[in-house]
Structures are given as structure tokens and as C-alpha cells.
Amino acid sequence: MEGNRKLISPFHRTRCLAAAAPGGKAKLTHPGKAILAGGIAGGIEICITFPTEYVKTQLQLDEKAYPPNYRGIGDCVKQTVQGHGVRGLYRGLSSLLYGSIPKSAVRFGVFEYLSNHARDEAGKLNSTRGLLCGLGAGVMEAVVIVCPMETVKVKFIHDQSSANPKYRGFYHGVREIIRTQGIKGTYQGLTATVLKQGSNQAIRFYVMTSLRNWYKGDNPNKAINPVVTGTFGAVAGAASVFGNTPLDVIKTRMQGLESHKYKSTLDCALKIMRHEGVRAFYSIEILSSTFYKGTVPRLGRVCLDVAIVFIIYEEVVKVLNTVWKTE
């Protein structure tokens, strides 16, 4: 037994949370730090990337218009700026900002909590466990934060794009939705949202965990600079976009002002396939495909989004480690 302890002790010591010496022994991230750092990262990120989210949502909602209002990404931006000024690209920001901060806080808090319990004796998190921890984090954020906030966001953006907007602001919009549809009105598309967020975070954390393990190799203490972290984040974001864009489009339709047309998430998917064909799943020209309409702006947004979030998150955690000592 003593011999075994000596063999594993160099690895076991990497699991120390706070007693790490200046030599650079790996430490686990306390969930409390993850919640704070995640919230800060989420708030900053959404302020930077919201215009691309706005364009993505507009293009997806526009597919139901005959004839379409926009000829593409550039035309959508041009018409929005001409009609409402640059500030028009930030319509609906408040609803997403109020949701982005707690969403990222819940995501990273849950992920760190789960991953702290999923690491092996060497303190290493393998790719499979990273995927499962990401899945758990995605499902939790979907139920607690994402579904109600995304429903309000989509309804708000859709309403502001109509000829006679009825919502005067975020809080007024929430009150009207609850007054006319009840709390259930803010939880439309829950199944699609859980599937989307769960798969989203599973893919992202799987890719991030895999790339981090590859980069560190046999040295679990190897530092990763922000540029590398951002690059890994962008790759993870791109993988998640192509992995679940169909779910994102279904979710958007389920949460729009015309969501009453669909009986359920399955009904929504079946109607899209029935009216626009199964080829939509496999179309090479993704901008003309129902399920992949909005993929290009979404790809740009998500890659930037995930890169920014992971960079800011890691840097904030570093700062917190110097002022918040945890066991």
C-alpha cells in the first residue's frame, strides 16, 4: 500500500484546491468562483456580440415572410440601420443581457461542480467526462435561465420588427406575455431548448477538454495563454453550431409570436420537414436551407462568443484566485 501511495502521490497532489505551492500544482476551481467569473464573462460577451445575434434571429424569422424582407445578411444590417440607426442592431439587448449573466454563471458553476467530482486521481478530466459535465451544465441552464429568457427575447425582437410593436420595453413585454399567456408563455419550446443547450454545452466542453488535454500533454500544470484559450473556444463554438443548428431553428420558431401554430417541438419539426422537405437537413447551401438559415451569422457570433467567454472566464478566475482563497 505504501508503495502504491508513493507512486500516485505526485499526481494526487495536483488535486489540492488551495494548498498548492508556488511550484504551480494544479488546483480545482471552486464553484463559487466559477459562478462569479461566468456571470462577468457572460455580461461582457453579449454586449460585444449582440448585433450578430439580432441578425441571426431576424433571418430565421424572415423565412416565414412572403416575399422575404431581407436578401441576406448585408441587406438585413443595411435595412435595420437605415430604419432605426445603429441602435437598431441592439433592439432586444436588455432581454438577452438579463439572461446572459445568470446563464453563464449557472453554466460554469454547474460545470466546475460536476467536473471537480469527475476528475481522476491525477486531477485530470477526460473528454468523455467533460462531455457529460457539459451536458449537465447545459440542461441546468436551459431549465433555470435560458428557456424563459430566450422566449421573451424572440418574442420581443419579433414584436419590434412588426408594423405596430406592442411591447414598450423588456419589463412591459414580460408583463404582457405573462398577462396574456401565463407563466407557461415564457416556457415555450422547453424541450427544444433543453436539447439545444444540453447538446451545445456537451459539444463545447468536450472540444475544450480534448484540446486542453492535448495542449498540456504530460504536463497538467502547463499554462495556457489567452490567445490559445480563445482559439480553442472558437473551435468549440464552431463545432457546436454545426452540431445543433437544426435545434436552434426549431427553438426559435417555437418561441416566436406564431408559436401557437405548433402543438409541440416534434410537431414543429415535422411541419418544417413536411412543408420544406427533408433536404433541409442536408442542404449544402446552408443559407437557403430552413434548418440552417442563419447559420453564417450564428457561426460568426458563436465562435466570437465562446472565445470571449472562455478568455474572460479564465482571466477572472486567475484574479479571484489571488483574492479569494478556498479549500
Side-chain angles (χ1 to χ4, degrees):
M1 284 293 291
E2 183 63 25
N4 289 337
R5 288 197 188 97
K6 288 181 179 179
L7 286 173
I8 67 172
S9 59
F11 301 101
H12 180 70
R13 287 197 298 269
T14 65
R15 298 193 67 187
C16 294
L17 287 173
K25 297 171 185 175
K27 296 192 297 182
L28 304 183
T29 300
H30 188 282
K33 293 179 182 178
I35 290 172
L36 182 56
I40 292 173
I44 295 175
E45 171 272 320
I46 199 60
C47 289
I48 296 173
T49 63
F50 183 78
T52 55
E53 167 69 14
Y54 177 85
V55 171
K56 184 264 296 187
T57 303
Q58 288 286 12
L59 289 176
Q60 288 182 337
L61 293 174
D62 186 53
E63 66 188 31
K64 297 190 294 292
Y66 296 99
N69 295 314
Y70 308 115
R71 294 190 298 274
I73 300 170
D75 186 52
C76 179
V77 173
K78 179 180 178 181
Q79 288 192 42
T80 300
V81 173
Q82 287 180 339
H84 306 279
V86 175
R87 292 181 60 184
L89 294 173
Y90 285 89
R91 290 184 297 170
L93 172 63
S94 59
S95 63
L96 204 58
L97 183 61
Y98 298 147
S100 182
I101 294 175
K103 177 177 70 174
S104 292
V106 169
R107 176 194 310 158
F108 283 101
V110 173
F111 178 80
E112 294 295 356
Y113 174 80
L114 294 176
S115 65
N116 285 351
H117 291 80
R119 296 176 186 275
D120 60 21
E121 286 300 317
K124 182 179 180 180
L125 181 70
N126 64 39
S127 300
T128 300
R129 292 185 178 184
L131 182 147
L132 294 175
C133 292
L135 177 63
V139 170
M140 182 62 73
E141 73 174 2
V143 175
V144 177
I145 304 294
V146 178
C147 188
M149 297 306 298
E150 285 283 291
T151 299
V152 172
K153 180 208 73 173
V154 173
K155 288 181 182 295
F156 188 83
I157 291 178
H158 200 177
D159 175 72
Q160 295 300 302
S161 302
S162 63
N164 299 300
K166 58 183 180 180
Y167 301 148
R168 297 193 296 271
F170 175 73
Y171 289 111
H172 178 256
V174 172
R175 288 199 303 271
E176 285 298 301
I177 292 171
I178 294 178
R179 183 181 67 81
T180 59
Q181 302 175 35
I183 294 296
K184 183 179 179 181
T186 64
Y187 267 92
Q188 293 174 332
L190 177 60
T191 301
T193 303
V194 168
L195 291 173
K196 184 234 176 181
Q197 292 302 124
S199 61
N200 231 354
Q201 301 313 321
I203 293 171
R204 290 178 189 177
F205 281 106
Y206 172 82
V207 173
M208 284 298 295
T209 301
S210 299
L211 291 175
R212 281 171 172 166
N213 289 342
W214 166 77
Y215 184 81
K216 292 183 177 182
D218 296 327
N219 180 10
N221 301 313
K222 185 176 182 179
I224 303 179
N225 67 54
V227 174
V228 175
T229 297
T231 301
F232 288 172
V235 173
S240 68
V241 167
F242 289 104
N244 70 5
T245 290
L247 289 173
D248 184 54
V249 175
I250 293 172
K251 176 186 70 67
T252 298
R253 288 200 179 186
M254 287 291 294
Q255 294 172 334
L257 293 179
E258 299 182 2
S259 59
H260 61 276
K261 293 182 178 179
Y262 310 113
K263 299 176 182 178
S264 64
T265 299
L266 179 60
D267 180 59
C268 179
L270 291 175
K271 285 184 177 177
I272 292 174
M273 288 190 291
R274 184 180 304 120
H275 297 304
E276 303 181 52
V278 71
R279 289 181 58 189
F281 282 110
Y282 308 101
S283 176
I284 295 177
E285 297 188 14
I286 57 179
L287 279 178
S288 64
S289 166
T290 295
F291 280 95
Y292 285 91
K293 187 166 187 178
T295 295
V296 170
R298 183 177 179 234
L299 179 62
R301 178 189 67 82
V302 171
C303 288
L304 183 61
D305 169 350
V306 180
I308 291 173
V309 167
F310 274 106
I311 289 173
I312 297 176
Y313 173 76
E314 295 292 346
E315 295 307 304
V316 172
V317 167
K318 291 178 184 177
V319 173
L320 291 177
N321 284 336
T322 65
V323 298
W324 181 359
K325 303 300 181 181
T326 54
E327 293 295 335

